[in-house]
Amino acid sequence: FNTKHDRKQKSKDTCHRHKLLVAERAALAGKAFQDLAQRRHFGMLQTVAVFVHRMPRQIEACRFLALCRQAEGDEEGALASLLHSFFYDCPRAELCCDIGDWFFKREEYRTASFWYETALKAKTDERKGGFICPDCGGYIPALQLAVCSYRMGETEQAEQWNELALRFKPESESCRYNRLFFRQQKEKSD
């Protein structure tokens, strides 16, 4: 026979299994679920954190956990989750960009630059699976390096990074605008 306590425990177990299932799917689903996670993270933070090592794609799970922590306002925990991914593999461009963004938001441009440069050097291995954003290995870090360099007062270096970003994405309106901006800056100084 089922007691009230047994039903409550069974309900808790079912809820916990459901959260785990949702967390595992989230780790595998990539960008689509990340968008959802930013809006409603289902209180899965603890569930994801506990089961990261059991998920088939730990690096994606670390990235998802970082998004959950960020949504809860735990910025340091978000960074720790991103860095934890290095236990599972070499730094991937996507994660290096995320880490660079973390420092960029804090106006720590030198440290952000380090991570964006690391993203440019990171090798993409599609055989390993997981979410891959080709722009994170070229265009995005190059453009971010242009912004970081400019904000650190290194205008010539910023212009070089912008030109690199333009080679990755010739149709980029941002890069074209930056090119014009740098030309105007040179004209003013001449």
Side-chain angles (χ1 to χ4, degrees):
F1 73 100
N2 278 343
T3 65
K4 190 175 182 178
H5 175 72
D6 291 337
R7 284 190 301 267
K8 275 187 175 179
Q9 186 60 42
K10 196 177 224 182
S11 177
K12 271 186 175 179
D13 292 345
T14 301
C15 182
H16 183 71
R17 280 194 305 266
H18 176 70
K19 284 182 179 181
L20 176 59
L21 179 62
V22 171
E24 286 179 309
R25 286 184 181 161
L28 297 173
K31 182 69 174 139
F33 204 89
Q34 288 175 7
D35 293 338
L36 179 62
Q38 289 173 336
R39 286 184 266 126
R40 294 176 48 204
H41 45 84
F42 302 110
M44 290 187 291
L45 186 60
Q46 295 81 11
T47 304
V48 175
V50 169
F51 293 100
V52 160
H53 66 282
R54 292 186 184 174
M55 293 183 182
R57 295 194 174 138
Q58 290 94 354
I59 293 172
E60 289 300 314
C62 290
R63 197 165 185 219
F64 178 73
L65 180 56
L67 287 170
C68 289
R69 286 184 166 160
Q70 192 173 32
E72 288 195 346
D74 181 8
E75 294 295 325
E76 284 75 23
L79 178 62
S81 296
L82 293 170
L83 295 171
H84 185 79
S85 70
F86 299 157
F87 282 109
Y88 303 109
D89 200 4
C90 296
R92 293 188 181 176
E94 295 80 10
L95 287 155
C96 292
C97 283
D98 290 346
I99 295 168
D101 291 345
W102 194 92
F103 287 102
F104 183 88
K105 288 175 189 170
R106 285 152 187 77
E107 299 180 4
E108 296 179 35
Y109 302 120
R110 185 107 17 234
T111 307
S113 293
F114 168 82
W115 287 105
Y116 293 131
E117 286 183 43
T118 304
L120 282 173
K121 296 173 190 170
K123 304 290 182 216
T124 301
D125 186 355
E126 293 179 14
R127 296 174 295 161
K128 291 184 179 182
F131 177 72
I132 296 173
C133 174
D135 282 347
C136 286
Y139 171 72
I140 292 172
L143 186 58
Q144 287 300 100
L145 281 161
V147 176
C148 288
S149 295
Y150 181 77
R151 291 192 180 167
M152 291 186 294
E154 301 168 359
T155 308
E156 286 182 32
Q157 183 65 53
E159 189 174 8
Q160 291 172 7
W161 286 122
N162 187 68
E163 290 303 312
L164 178 61
L166 200 52
R167 284 197 296 272
F168 284 113
K169 201 172 248 188
E171 73 281 1
S172 169
E173 289 296 319
S174 297
C175 291
R176 289 181 192 171
Y177 173 84
N178 290 348
R179 181 184 269 174
L180 180 63
F181 172 80
F182 289 127
R183 281 187 189 150
Q184 291 172 345
Q185 293 294 314
K186 282 182 181 177
E187 290 172 5
K188 284 181 184 178
S189 65
D190 289 343

